[in-house]
Amino acid sequence: RLLLARLFSRPANVLVLEAYEPLGEVSSRAKKCYALLGELKRNVEAISRALDNRGKENARMMHASDDLLENMNGFAALWPNDSAYVTQCAETKRAALLLNGELNQTPWQWLRVRWSFTNLLKDVRAFRPYAKEVADKEPKPYAVYSKEGQVTYKDAPDTSVDAEALAPDARLDREGA
């Protein structure tokens, strides 16, 4: 009996992705990226647990898949001008869409669901370090000291955006010239 209890009480193969934490102060976009990396990790691990639970948590798996798609939209919105980054987001989202499509089929073909999840996992494992690297390359915020001696951090100016083009008078100057 004890042997049977040990065999059936073993935890399933638990997928654990590396947790990423920012080192020191980071910009607001990098903070959002790290928050999304944490959500992406939770969603992928939730799908893995649901698959290992022999499909007993189908609704949870479908919700986690939908949340993962929203995560990828959030990632792409962080740095929309970085074409290599957006391409990585699109590839990972495509794998998430394939899994979501398989989960929306009835009845499920477990071989296809597992295959789609394996492809998603491959893409997520490649994307997460890349997104962390992009977040770490963001300019560090600078400290602003108040009169009371409190420190707040402001984001460094975004060098990827042309400040002159965003100025309200820039358009008028060009039209008037």
Side-chain angles (χ1 to χ4, degrees):
R1 278 189 161 171
L2 184 60
L3 181 61
L4 287 175
R6 284 186 183 173
L7 284 175
F8 290 111
S9 66
R10 283 189 314 177
N13 293 335
V14 179
L15 171 72
V16 179
L17 295 173
E18 182 181 349
Y20 292 134
E21 295 293 327
L23 300 173
E25 287 295 324
V26 294
S27 70
S28 60
R29 283 198 295 188
K31 283 180 187 176
K32 289 177 189 174
C33 183
Y34 278 105
L36 285 170
L37 284 170
E39 288 179 33
L40 183 65
K41 175 186 182 317
R42 281 190 295 278
N43 289 326
V44 168
E45 289 175 351
I47 294 169
S48 176
R49 278 192 307 276
L51 282 173
D52 289 342
N53 200 9
R54 297 178 192 92
K56 294 179 183 174
E57 299 175 356
N58 294 348
R60 182 172 291 161
M61 185 170 22
M62 293 179 78
H63 286 296
S65 175
D66 290 339
D67 291 343
L68 196 139
L69 287 171
E70 290 177 21
N71 292 149
M72 295 315 301
N73 288 338
F75 277 116
L78 287 175
W79 290 282
N81 297 332
D82 186 351
S83 61
Y85 175 78
V86 171
T87 301
Q88 283 284 100
C89 290
E91 289 175 5
T92 306
K93 185 173 179 178
R94 187 191 74 225
L97 282 169
L98 287 173
L99 174 64
N100 204 334
E102 288 299 329
L103 293 177
N104 287 325
Q105 300 292 324
T106 51
W108 286 355
Q109 294 182 357
W110 282 102
L111 182 64
R112 289 184 177 180
V113 171
R114 183 57 81 170
W115 175 81
S116 297
F117 178 71
T118 302
N119 282 339
L120 171 68
L121 190 58
K122 180 185 69 149
D123 286 348
V124 165
R125 283 186 172 153
F127 174 74
R128 290 180 77 241
Y130 182 75
K132 180 187 181 305
E133 180 182 322
V134 171
D136 289 341
K137 287 182 181 176
E138 272 287 294
K140 301 289 183 203
Y142 59 92
V144 176
Y145 297 96
S146 68
K147 293 179 183 178
E148 294 82 30
Q150 294 177 338
V151 178
T152 57
Y153 290 92
K154 300 248 183 193
D155 284 342
D158 190 3
T159 58
S160 66
V161 177
D162 185 11
E164 288 182 22
L166 293 178
D169 296 330
R171 187 175 55 123
L172 295 174
D173 291 340
R174 280 185 293 221
E175 289 175 358

